[in-house]
Amino acid sequence: MGQFVDLTSGDGFVFPAWVAQPDAAPRGAVVVLQEIFGVNSHIRAVADRFAARGYLAVAPSTFHRVKPGVELGYTGEDMQAGMGLKAAVEALPAPGVMPDIQAAIDYAAAQSGRKVGIVGFCWGGLLTWRAACTLNGLSAAVPYYGGGMTSPDEAARQPRVPVLAHFGERDHWIPVDSVQAFARAQPGAEVHIYAADHGFNCDQRGSYDEPSAMTARDRTLAFFDKHLA
Protein backbone atom coordinates (compact mmCIF):
# COMPACT_ATOMS: atom_id res chain seq x y z
CA MET A 1 0.00 0.00 0.00
CA GLY A 2 2.90 2.38 0.72
CA GLN A 3 6.22 3.44 -0.75
CA PHE A 4 9.23 5.53 0.21
CA VAL A 5 9.36 9.10 -1.06
CA ASP A 6 11.98 11.79 -0.48
CA LEU A 7 11.00 14.83 1.59
CA THR A 8 12.99 18.05 2.02
CA SER A 9 13.39 19.73 5.37
CA GLY A 10 13.45 23.47 5.91
CA ASP A 11 17.25 23.49 5.88
CA GLY A 12 17.39 21.62 2.57
CA PHE A 13 18.11 18.21 4.10
CA VAL A 14 16.58 15.39 2.06
CA PHE A 15 15.31 12.30 3.85
CA PRO A 16 12.97 9.38 3.09
CA ALA A 17 9.49 8.81 4.43
CA TRP A 18 7.15 5.87 4.00
CA VAL A 19 3.90 7.19 2.51
CA ALA A 20 0.74 5.05 2.50
CA GLN A 21 -2.20 6.31 0.47
CA PRO A 22 -5.83 5.39 1.16
CA ASP A 23 -7.93 3.95 -1.65
CA ALA A 24 -10.28 6.93 -1.71
CA ALA A 25 -9.95 10.63 -0.92
CA PRO A 26 -8.26 10.96 2.50
CA ARG A 27 -10.43 11.65 5.53
CA GLY A 28 -7.35 13.20 7.15
CA ALA A 29 -3.60 12.62 7.44
CA VAL A 30 -1.43 11.05 10.13
CA VAL A 31 2.34 11.40 10.62
CA VAL A 32 3.73 8.19 12.18
CA LEU A 33 6.96 8.52 14.18
CA GLN A 34 9.24 5.51 14.50
CA GLU A 35 10.65 3.83 17.57
CA ILE A 36 14.43 3.40 17.93
CA PHE A 37 14.31 0.63 15.32
CA GLY A 38 13.87 2.79 12.23
CA VAL A 39 11.04 2.85 9.71
CA ASN A 40 10.99 -0.94 9.86
CA SER A 41 8.31 -3.40 8.81
CA HIS A 42 6.25 -2.73 11.94
CA ILE A 43 6.16 1.06 11.47
CA ARG A 44 5.35 0.62 7.78
CA ALA A 45 2.52 -1.73 8.77
CA VAL A 46 1.18 0.85 11.23
CA ALA A 47 1.18 3.46 8.46
CA ASP A 48 -0.51 1.03 6.07
CA ARG A 49 -3.22 0.31 8.63
CA PHE A 50 -3.97 4.02 8.97
CA ALA A 51 -4.25 4.21 5.18
CA ALA A 52 -6.66 1.26 5.25
CA ARG A 53 -8.77 3.35 7.64
CA GLY A 54 -8.85 6.21 5.15
CA TYR A 55 -5.94 8.35 6.33
CA LEU A 56 -2.93 9.43 4.32
CA ALA A 57 -0.03 8.20 6.48
CA VAL A 58 3.53 9.55 6.41
CA ALA A 59 6.34 7.88 8.42
CA PRO A 60 9.55 9.95 8.19
CA SER A 61 12.97 8.48 8.89
CA THR A 62 14.06 10.37 11.99
CA PHE A 63 17.43 8.57 11.99
CA HIS A 64 18.45 9.73 8.51
CA ARG A 65 20.50 12.70 9.76
CA VAL A 66 22.83 10.35 11.60
CA LYS A 67 22.52 7.10 9.58
CA PRO A 68 20.56 6.32 6.41
CA GLY A 69 18.60 3.16 5.76
CA VAL A 70 18.14 1.97 9.35
CA GLU A 71 15.84 -1.03 9.71
CA LEU A 72 16.33 -2.93 12.95
CA GLY A 73 14.59 -5.85 14.62
CA TYR A 74 14.06 -6.38 18.34
CA THR A 75 17.07 -8.37 19.56
CA GLY A 76 19.31 -7.10 22.32
CA GLU A 77 21.88 -6.07 19.72
CA ASP A 78 19.22 -4.21 17.74
CA MET A 79 18.11 -2.38 20.87
CA GLN A 80 21.66 -1.29 21.68
CA ALA A 81 22.15 -0.07 18.12
CA GLY A 82 18.86 1.82 18.21
CA MET A 83 19.63 3.44 21.54
CA GLY A 84 22.96 4.63 20.15
CA LEU A 85 21.28 6.14 17.09
CA LYS A 86 18.65 7.83 19.23
CA ALA A 87 21.39 9.33 21.41
CA ALA A 88 23.16 10.61 18.29
CA VAL A 89 19.99 12.31 17.03
CA GLU A 90 19.23 13.79 20.45
CA ALA A 91 22.79 15.18 20.50
CA LEU A 92 22.33 17.07 17.21
CA PRO A 93 22.41 20.87 17.50
CA ALA A 94 18.97 22.37 18.04
CA PRO A 95 16.43 22.07 16.50
CA GLY A 96 17.75 18.59 15.67
CA VAL A 97 15.28 16.36 13.87
CA MET A 98 12.21 18.53 14.49
CA PRO A 99 12.41 20.27 11.06
CA ASP A 100 12.16 16.86 9.41
CA ILE A 101 8.97 16.15 11.35
CA GLN A 102 7.65 19.57 10.33
CA ALA A 103 8.40 18.71 6.70
CA ALA A 104 6.42 15.47 7.09
CA ILE A 105 3.48 17.40 8.57
CA ASP A 106 3.60 19.93 5.73
CA TYR A 107 3.77 17.15 3.13
CA ALA A 108 0.85 15.30 4.72
CA ALA A 109 -1.25 18.47 4.73
CA ALA A 110 -0.41 19.32 1.12
CA GLN A 111 -1.02 15.81 -0.20
CA SER A 112 -4.27 15.22 1.67
CA GLY A 113 -5.78 18.69 1.79
CA ARG A 114 -7.05 17.75 5.24
CA LYS A 115 -6.15 18.14 8.92
CA VAL A 116 -3.04 16.36 10.20
CA GLY A 117 -2.55 14.29 13.34
CA ILE A 118 0.64 12.72 14.67
CA VAL A 119 1.28 9.43 16.45
CA GLY A 120 4.55 7.98 17.69
CA PHE A 121 5.90 5.07 19.69
CA CYS A 122 8.65 4.96 22.34
CA TRP A 123 11.19 7.60 21.20
CA GLY A 124 8.65 8.55 18.56
CA GLY A 125 6.18 9.13 21.38
CA LEU A 126 8.56 11.66 22.91
CA LEU A 127 8.99 13.34 19.52
CA THR A 128 5.19 13.34 19.10
CA TRP A 129 4.83 15.18 22.40
CA ARG A 130 7.49 17.71 21.40
CA ALA A 131 5.80 18.16 18.02
CA ALA A 132 2.45 18.80 19.74
CA CYS A 133 4.12 21.55 21.77
CA THR A 134 6.38 23.20 19.19
CA LEU A 135 5.43 22.48 15.58
CA ASN A 136 2.84 23.97 13.25
CA GLY A 137 0.00 22.44 11.28
CA LEU A 138 -1.16 19.72 13.68
CA SER A 139 -4.69 19.12 14.94
CA ALA A 140 -4.14 16.16 17.32
CA ALA A 141 -1.29 14.14 18.84
CA VAL A 142 -1.12 10.58 20.21
CA PRO A 143 2.13 9.51 21.92
CA TYR A 144 2.47 5.85 22.87
CA TYR A 145 4.77 5.15 25.84
CA GLY A 146 6.91 8.18 25.05
CA GLY A 147 10.23 7.57 26.73
CA GLY A 148 11.28 10.76 28.53
CA MET A 149 8.06 12.71 28.01
CA THR A 150 7.05 12.23 31.66
CA SER A 151 10.22 13.93 32.93
CA PRO A 152 9.60 17.25 34.70
CA ASP A 153 11.16 19.28 31.87
CA GLU A 154 9.03 17.63 29.19
CA ALA A 155 5.86 17.65 31.30
CA ALA A 156 6.28 21.39 31.74
CA ARG A 157 5.77 21.97 27.99
CA GLN A 158 2.38 23.19 26.79
CA PRO A 159 0.72 21.38 23.88
CA ARG A 160 -0.89 23.38 21.12
CA VAL A 161 -3.32 20.60 20.15
CA PRO A 162 -5.41 17.92 21.89
CA VAL A 163 -3.25 15.05 23.22
CA LEU A 164 -4.13 11.41 23.89
CA ALA A 165 -1.32 9.47 25.64
CA HIS A 166 -0.97 5.70 26.14
CA PHE A 167 1.30 4.11 28.77
CA GLY A 168 1.86 0.62 30.23
CA GLU A 169 1.75 0.12 33.99
CA ARG A 170 4.50 -2.53 33.82
CA ASP A 171 6.79 -0.34 31.70
CA HIS A 172 10.17 -0.42 33.48
CA TRP A 173 11.40 2.47 31.30
CA ILE A 174 8.57 4.81 32.33
CA PRO A 175 7.57 4.53 36.01
CA VAL A 176 3.83 4.79 36.68
CA ASP A 177 4.36 7.53 39.24
CA SER A 178 5.96 9.68 36.53
CA VAL A 179 2.95 9.04 34.28
CA GLN A 180 0.63 10.09 37.09
CA ALA A 181 2.71 13.23 37.65
CA PHE A 182 2.52 13.97 33.91
CA ALA A 183 -1.27 13.60 34.00
CA ARG A 184 -1.47 16.04 36.92
CA ALA A 185 0.76 18.51 35.09
CA GLN A 186 -1.31 18.16 31.91
CA PRO A 187 -4.96 18.06 33.00
CA GLY A 188 -6.07 18.83 29.45
CA ALA A 189 -4.44 15.67 28.09
CA GLU A 190 -6.25 12.34 27.96
CA VAL A 191 -3.91 9.83 29.63
CA HIS A 192 -4.54 6.07 29.71
CA ILE A 193 -2.54 3.42 31.56
CA TYR A 194 -2.80 -0.21 30.42
CA ALA A 195 -1.97 -3.50 32.17
CA ALA A 196 0.96 -3.98 29.81
CA ASP A 197 4.69 -3.52 29.26
CA HIS A 198 6.66 -1.06 27.17
CA GLY A 199 6.10 -1.67 23.47
CA PHE A 200 2.71 -3.28 23.99
CA ASN A 201 1.46 -2.08 20.59
CA CYS A 202 4.12 -3.88 18.55
CA ASP A 203 3.03 -7.35 17.44
CA GLN A 204 6.64 -8.21 16.56
CA ARG A 205 7.85 -7.88 20.14
CA GLY A 206 7.54 -10.19 23.11
CA SER A 207 5.92 -7.35 25.05
CA TYR A 208 2.96 -7.21 22.64
CA ASP A 209 -0.34 -7.20 24.51
CA GLU A 210 -3.26 -7.63 22.13
CA PRO A 211 -6.10 -6.47 24.43
CA SER A 212 -4.21 -3.29 25.36
CA ALA A 213 -3.12 -2.68 21.77
CA MET A 214 -6.66 -3.05 20.45
CA THR A 215 -8.15 -0.78 23.12
CA ALA A 216 -5.47 1.84 22.48
CA ARG A 217 -6.01 1.53 18.73
CA ASP A 218 -9.75 2.07 19.05
CA ARG A 219 -9.24 5.09 21.29
CA THR A 220 -6.66 6.51 18.88
CA LEU A 221 -8.90 6.09 15.85
CA ALA A 222 -11.84 7.69 17.67
CA PHE A 223 -9.58 10.56 18.75
CA PHE A 224 -8.36 11.16 15.19
CA ASP A 225 -11.89 10.80 13.80
CA LYS A 226 -12.99 13.53 16.20
CA HIS A 227 -10.15 16.00 15.75
CA LEU A 228 -9.21 15.48 12.09
CA ALA A 229 -12.75 15.50 10.66
Side-chain angles (χ1 to χ4, degrees):
M1 187 177 293
Q3 62 181 344
F4 280 105
V5 302
D6 283 340
L7 304 185
T8 303
S9 194
D11 61 358
F13 181 73
V14 178
F15 62 97
W18 181 258
V19 177
Q21 298 271 3
D23 290 336
R27 64 194 299 176
V30 178
V31 173
V32 180
L33 297 185
Q34 63 172 70
E35 300 172 287
I36 61 170
F37 308 104
V39 184
N40 62 5
S41 61
H42 170 62
I43 294 299
R44 298 195 301 270
V46 169
D48 291 350
R49 285 196 290 269
F50 275 113
R53 294 281 185 154
Y55 291 98
L56 172 73
V58 181
S61 172
T62 47
F63 276 162
H64 202 69
R65 285 184 182 262
V66 297
K67 186 176 182 180
V70 176
E71 180 163 353
L72 298 172
Y74 301 97
T75 68
E77 288 183 356
D78 289 329
M79 185 164 289
Q80 289 300 313
M83 290 175 70
L85 290 165
K86 172 199 168 184
V89 174
E90 292 283 320
L92 290 170
V97 77
M98 300 309 289
D100 303 346
I101 300 172
Q102 183 68 66
I105 296 167
D106 295 343
Y107 177 86
Q111 291 296 309
S112 69
R114 304 300 298 268
K115 293 179 179 179
V116 181
I118 190 166
V119 60
F121 307 87
C122 183
W123 177 51
L126 170 62
L127 295 177
T128 293
W129 171 245
R130 291 175 178 170
C133 298
T134 64
L135 299 185
N136 300 316
L138 289 171
S139 294
V142 182
Y144 276 73
Y145 33 83
M149 66 175 279
T150 62
S151 69
D153 287 349
E154 292 291 341
R157 295 180 186 267
Q158 292 303 313
R160 301 176 177 182
V161 298
V163 173
L164 166 66
H166 305 296
F167 295 96
E169 69 179 10
R170 297 195 296 269
D171 189 333
H172 64 281
W173 299 101
I174 308 173
V176 169
D177 60 351
S178 75
V179 175
Q180 294 166 339
F182 176 87
R184 289 192 297 270
Q186 296 292 336
E190 184 179 340
V191 178
H192 293 281
I193 302 175
Y194 302 81
D197 296 310
H198 189 82
F200 67 78
N201 182 70
C202 180
D203 56 7
Q204 298 182 21
R205 300 176 72 168
S207 56
Y208 177 61
D209 185 87
E210 184 174 14
S212 298
M214 293 301 100
T215 300
R217 181 200 66 183
D218 290 346
R219 285 170 171 162
T220 297
L221 289 170
F223 191 74
F224 282 150
D225 285 349
K226 176 182 178 181
H227 294 291
L228 304 185

